[in-house]
Amino acid sequence: MLSIFLYVTVVSLLILSITSVIYKRNLIKLVIALNIAESSVNLFFITLAYRPDSTAPIFTLAPALQELRMVLPSPQALILTNIVIGFATTALMLVLAVITYKNNGTLDIRKLKGVEDHD
Amino acid sequence: MTFSVVLSILCAVILITAVLSILFRDLMAAVVSYAVFGLVMTVIYFMLDAPDVAIAEASIGAALTVCIFVIAIRMTRRREE
Amino acid sequence: MTNHIPVLIITLPLIAAFLQPVTGFAGFKLRNLVIITILLVLNGLLFMLVPDVALQGKTIYYTMGASDPSQFTQPGISFPVRIVLKIDSFSLFTGIIVGVVTLTTFLFSTGTVKEDKRKSYFSTLFLLFTAGLMGMSFTNDLFNFFVFLEISSISGAALVAYRTYRKHAPYAGYKYILISTIATTFFLFGVGICYAQYGSFNIQYINSVLAHSYLDKVAMLFIIVAMAMKAGSVPMHMWVPDTYAEAPASISAMLKASGMVTLCAMFRFTFSLFGPSSSGAGKINYETLGWIVIVLGVLSMFIGVTMALIQHDVRRLMAFHAVSQTGYMLLGVGVGIAVFAKGDGGAAFKAFGKMAMVGGIFHIMNNAFYKNLLFLTSGVMERRFGTRNLNGMIGLGHRDTLTTVVFMIGALAIAGIPPFNGFDSKLLIYESVYKFSPVLAIIAMFVSVMTLASFMKVFYSSFMGPRRDDLIVEGAPLTKGTKAGLIILAALIILTGLFPGIIVDGIIEPAVTALTQIR
Amino acid sequence: MNGKIIDLIIKPEIGIVWIPLLLVAVFFVFMVVFHVWGRKFFRNDYNENSDQVKPYNSGNLDEVNYSVKSSNLYWGFKKSMDRYFDIMKKFHDGDLNNYAKWFVIVVAACFLLIGGGLL
């Protein structure tokens, strides 16, 4: 029951972000939308790892329990990687957006869309 | 019981902030909304027993990302056209 | 030492990439020499694996950080727990493509990409790109694949936007990274669905316990469509001309190699990850999946080539041909997939399905070579005339004999004219696809004719005509490294075309066998 | 399987033989023949320094930019397929929104196939 909320959140965030990638026109807004998509995938993995009535995957907490119940540690480790990768992607996209603005004077993709050497 | 109530409220907050950060025409407001999104996400990670991910999300996802967004918006223009 | 080769292949370019700021102090020439040596060593290591892996059919595993890295599972545990690299014939084939393409491309770019002595952005990003592609070829772990995909995407986007002073280059880089991020997000979502059910990221382990439920099919859909988008098949190809046209010429070639690796990964996921397993309850309908791939392929071929015919920007034209050639591979392998699990006990697969797959996979290799060569020659043209517009080019044949000859070789190879390598793989595709459905083979031949027509257009407008020295903006002769890159590729094209039997029997056919092996 | 696949190319039973070295030898023989004897055999009145190397176009007095522009090549083909190319050019105008749109369309179509039980 608990995880239903979370899965619904994940799917609606993904749909929201992909919809805004289709309909939004500002380059920086697209970066925000992709960040939301990444967060939704992160939340998906953390939700997968969650087990009710268990403890964080830290070794010193384990002996306090009667039986060893931890949430799954490996998705959390992977999501740490994904957060960092997402930061790198965001930084690169923002840099490219800023240089695009400097070269073209606009951030609107409809004004940028003309192909120069098109027949 | 309180756990799941709090979690569902936080999920609703996440959805609202995400929608707001898409809808705001003012990019600075959108980024602030995205910062709130990241912070609430941090709380959710912490509630789901992922403290290390929560720390990383708070420092990178909420703080650093918002910083570079603000820098990028200051270097370009603030309003969506 | 020898059992550490798999990890060396990935870590060598990674270490070299982060050594660049240090070696940059030693000067431009020494740094290039170091990189070329490293790429040569990389190729040597890859070819050292050929006798064991391709000819004898062994599979090499490498478990990261284990006491005995060559074991797939550790003693006492029945499932794999660490990141496992796996080298079978198919991933070795992918690795060889990446190795050859990076070596020749770097040789070419030593003479063409201008860089400050102390700065090493280009070479650092280039080596990171190489490391990402190598990792994508060899990894057996889904999340590790995702990490390498992101490495290659980020470094690739930075390289596409390398010439930031140009008006449209940063926007092209933005497009590439946007597409990559969408694709990788959906890929990771599919990986998460797999992990939710089987609790592992290991491709081989997931395949051995796969249940083929509806969720698995959704995961397969996300993964395969995301890979098809990264490989640039119609209708998700619109980023290809925009991106390839603005990148430096050598980076266009690298992006093409990246597309090939993604395509190989897509085929690997189709068979090794979601393929029929021993425990499979409800199976995937392979005929429908094959038809999806075939439809994507035929659309790619036709739309790519017709759009290429009307371009007059040389790089956009070649980028559309990249889309069109991707269609051939999708067609060949799609026919193989469609008859792979048919109810006739594999008779159709033995009769022509395997041949179609051999043709498609062989075409990946050939295409990597000649497309690389064509992109590099387009780089020479662009340098000479200072424009990418074919209307502003004329009479280069009087100046650059070498460029003219290698361009002719590449153009004839891409059109499938006999002594060159495009002919061999295209013939395999035509003959086997004709037995599956004659209409598809006829479309493929028609597309081949249109390919020749559009390359005649490039050849006519840029190499033929009177000598016009007033149009040349940079007349400096090509450096040795540039010439070496072009000559190696042309020699590979001719050799593969003249002796296709050695390559097919030695590398391609084991690769297809390894790909379609049912565990 | 060794040697079986490539039998497509080498078919001794119907008389097609693939001997690559023969091709190379023929190529070199022709090269030698043309190099030694060709100039005399084809045109012995060829002179680089006379007016004969200049292009002759009747009625066109522009001697510098006389050649057919590459965007004018195949104009008949383009003209006859005008309607198709108009649609296609609209798709390839560099609009970022289209990229994600087509991705979503392909995913949705495949979802329909899964829902219909075909995949």
Side-chain angles (χ1 to χ4, degrees), chain C residues 221 237 242 288 306 431 453 466, chain D residues 8 66 74 84 92 99 110 118:
Chain C
L221 190 65
H237 70 293
D242 299 346
T288 315
T306 45
E431 292 226 11
Chain D
L8 274 176
Y66 70 93
Y74 309 127
Y84 169 78
H92 295 91
Y99 302 172
C110 295
L118 276 171

Side-chain angles (χ1 to χ4, degrees), chain C residues 171 174-175 178-179 182 186 214 217-218 220-222 225-226 229 235-239 241-242 284-285 288-289 292 302-303 306-307 309-310 312 316 320 354-355 358 390-391 394 418-419 423-424 427-428 431 450 453-454 456-457 460-461 465-466 468 497-501 504-505 509, chain D residues 1-11 18-21 23-24 53 55 63-74 77-78 81 84-85 87-100 102-119:
Chain C
Y171 190 44
Y174 186 94
K175 282 171 181 171
L178 181 101
I179 289 306
I182 293 174
F186 275 88
Y214 273 105
K217 288 176 185 172
V218 173
M220 180 182 79
L221 190 65
F222 280 149
V225 178
M229 182 169 187
M236 301 160 290
H237 70 293
M238 286 107 167
W239 61 275
D242 299 346
I284 289 172
N285 190 340
T288 315
L289 185 62
I292 292 174
F302 190 76
I303 292 179
T306 45
M307 282 305 289
L309 204 59
I310 62 165
H312 58 220
R316 278 183 75 87
F320 274 114
K354 188 163 187 177
M355 227 173 276
V358 167
L390 282 173
N391 290 341
I394 195 163
F423 168 72
D424 305 325
L427 186 64
L428 285 169
E431 292 226 11
M450 303 254 282
S454 60
M456 282 308 293
K457 174 175 163 178
Y460 169 80
S461 28
R468 289 286 301 275
L498 287 178
F499 308 102
V504 170
D505 290 337
E509 206 268 330
Chain D
M1 205 65 192
N2 277 354
K4 288 289 185 291
I5 295 267
I6 210 63
D7 280 354
L8 274 176
I9 299 175
I10 308 167
K11 280 186 179 164
W18 181 262
I19 306 173
L21 289 179
L23 276 171
V24 177
V53 295
E63 284 193 1
V64 179
N65 298 312
Y66 70 93
S67 69
V68 182
K69 293 279 180 218
S70 75
S71 45
N72 296 333
L73 288 174
Y74 309 127
F77 179 78
K78 281 182 217 166
M81 289 174 80
Y84 169 78
F85 282 133
I87 297 170
M88 279 298 139
K89 276 180 202 164
K90 207 184 280 174
F91 279 127
H92 295 91
D93 60 354
D95 192 341
L96 265 178
N97 293 151
N98 278 340
Y99 302 172
W102 280 99
F103 178 76
V104 171
I105 288 173
V106 171
V107 168
C110 295
F111 262 125
L112 285 183
L113 283 177
I114 290 183
L118 276 171
L119 195 67

